[in-house]
């Protein structure tokens, strides 16, 4: 008889580019998203939850150039129910962001939705890209968009709401800046440079502009002309523009002044006679006036010509929220935390479905980066607090312990009964420690007979155990005997004392 080959066990490993989130991480994210949703709702935006899966056709910019459309997205082909053996089924994909689904939803339901349509959405997105440190294939986004109005008031409102959101979740004023620019102004600069229809050269110029904060004015000049040596000594070829062509770019990048009026004056000089450039400056002036009227000064939101976002995506104002406080990188060097949110006006996205231009503007917050920033600022607890644990001294009296935990829960206190093997009481306390429980409740046979319970302050007990002498331990007891009827009051008192 042939020997039956054992089926190999599956490996318990996380797929490459993905990660698991436990306990407090999930709670912290949920609480932050709830705070953000509160701001969005306060501004009059409505929640939208769209499907996690879209047709590849609806995602649009990821339509396949090859046989399988998997560049950038996780995609698969549905089986055609009428012809299962054919290759005619629709291509489906996990959503890449939350904006493309919004365009599809608006195009599909526009007759039933108010105009403008103001929505916010929160949830995971998936990108089939090479993972790296801190770069995952699944992550959360948190968006808010206004669809159906060309008014600059919509863009100004998004920027003001972004400012309010950062302060609400715990980034204080002075530790962030929302920076605003306009793609039309940049297009005006490209126009006066005389690049004509050379889209590759235009894209190279925009990418170089995006490096201004790293390489400075001299570095941008070198990158746009002959090239430069980078920090490692490697030579980077330049775009090959003439000095005369580069001047409008440098004038544009250095146009930011101490006051916004001077900034606009400098921008006008940079775009020269370009009509689209002048239109972009006019839009920035409107946004600036509206924000000033709302009480948002340059300490919170400022016009910054160096902001470049979405080369083939945004059509007007663009904005980015940057955290300005310093952190230490993995090599111990000081650096600013950087961007945690961005967005802009995209007036062509819905047009793909309807054939008609539908103006839209919106923002997206990088949830994981914002959570990391809050941890850096100490706005999130480093040590999570677990539930109060009611220990089990007698399995036959489980109903008594369930009554205790019900009393605590009804009083709004997070609590649980120990459900493991109660034989070893030490293991119950070890369990409570692993759960970071603040309090343990103990009721043995003697306590039951005397109508009392023991309540142990586990946080204080751990602190005393670290350094206290026997005399100090006696003076600062961490375990209290109280009447059974005082269970809730004493637990609450201890929790409040723990802060």
């Amino acid at each position: 008889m042939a020997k039956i080959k054992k089926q190999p066990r599956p490996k318990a490993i996380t797929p490459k580019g993905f990660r698991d989130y436990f306990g407090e991480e999930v709670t912290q994210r949920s609480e932050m998203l709830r705070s953000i949703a509160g701001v969005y709702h306060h501004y009059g935006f409505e929640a939208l939850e769209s499907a996690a899966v879209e047709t590849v056709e609806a995602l649009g910019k990821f339509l396949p150039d090859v046989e399988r459309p998997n560049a950038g997205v996780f995609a698969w082909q549905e089986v055609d129910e009428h012809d299962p053996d054919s290759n005619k089924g629709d291509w489906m994909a996990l959503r890449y962001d939350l904006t493309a689904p919004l365009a599809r939803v608006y195009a599909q339901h526009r007759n039933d939705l108010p105009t403008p349509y103001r929505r916010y959405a929160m949830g995971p997105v998936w990108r089939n890209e090479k993972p790296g440190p801190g770069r995952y294939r699944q992550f959360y986004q948190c968006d808010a968009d206004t669809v159906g109005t060309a008014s600059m008031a919509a863009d100004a409102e998004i920027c003001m709401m972004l400012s309010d959101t950062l302060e609400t979740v715990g980034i204080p004023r002075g530790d962030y800046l929302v920076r605003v620019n306009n793609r039309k102004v940049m297009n005006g600069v490209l126009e006066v440079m005389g690049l004509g229809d050379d889209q590759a050269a235009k894209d190279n110029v925009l990418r170089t502009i995006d490096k201004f904060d790293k390489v400075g004015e001299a570095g941008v000049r070198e990158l746009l002309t002959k090239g430069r040596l980078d920090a490692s000594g490697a030579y980077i070829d330049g775009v090959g523009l003439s000095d005369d062509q580069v001047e409008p770019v440098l004038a544009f990048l250095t146009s930011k002044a101490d006051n916004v009026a001077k900034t606009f004056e400098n921008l006008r000089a940079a775009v020269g006679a370009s009509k689209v450039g002048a239109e972009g400056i006019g839009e920035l002036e409107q946004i600036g006036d509206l924000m000033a009227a709302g009480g948002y000064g340059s300490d919170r939101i400022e016009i910054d010509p160096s902001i470049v976002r979405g080369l083939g995506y945004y059509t007007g104002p663009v904005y980015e929220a940057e955290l300005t406080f310093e952190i230490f990188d993995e090599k111990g060097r000081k650096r600013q935390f950087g961007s945690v949110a961005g967005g802009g006006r995209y007036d062509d996205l819905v047009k793909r479905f309807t054939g008609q231009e539908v103006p839209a503007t919106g923002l997206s917050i990088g949830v994981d980066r914002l959570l990391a920033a809050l941890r850096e600022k100490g706005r999130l607890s480093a040590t999570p607090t677990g539930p109060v644990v009611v220990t089990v001294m007698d399995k036959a009296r489980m109903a008594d312990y369930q009554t205790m935990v019900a009393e605590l829960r009804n009083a709004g206190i997070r609590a649980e009964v120990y459900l493991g093997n109660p034989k070893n009481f030490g293991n119950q306390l070890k369990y409570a420690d692993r759960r970071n429980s603040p309090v343990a409740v103990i009721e043995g046979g003697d306590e039951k007979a005397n109508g009392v319970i023991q309540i142990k302050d586990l946080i204080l007990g751990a602190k005393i155990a670290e350094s206290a002498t026997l005399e100090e331990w006696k003076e600062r007891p961490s375990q209290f005997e109280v009447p059974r009827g005082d269970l809730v009051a004493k637990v609450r008192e201890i929790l409040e004392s723990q802060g």
Side-chain angles (χ1 to χ4, degrees), residues 204-219:
N204 283 333
V205 171
L206 290 172
R207 291 190 186 96
T208 304
I209 289 173
D210 201 26
K211 298 174 183 175
F212 176 65
D213 61 339
K214 295 183 178 69
V215 302
E217 181 180 349

Side-chain angles (χ1 to χ4, degrees), residues 282-294:
E283 290 177 355
L284 285 177
E285 286 181 317
Q286 290 181 54
I287 291 172
D289 290 343
L290 290 166
M291 291 188 299

Side-chain angles (χ1 to χ4, degrees), residues 389-392 398 402 409 416-422 428 431:
V389 172
V390 176
T391 60
V392 175
M398 183 62 78
Q402 290 290 356
R409 289 170 181 165
E416 65 171 84
V417 175
Y418 179 74
L419 297 178
N421 187 340
Q428 297 194 50
Y431 171 83

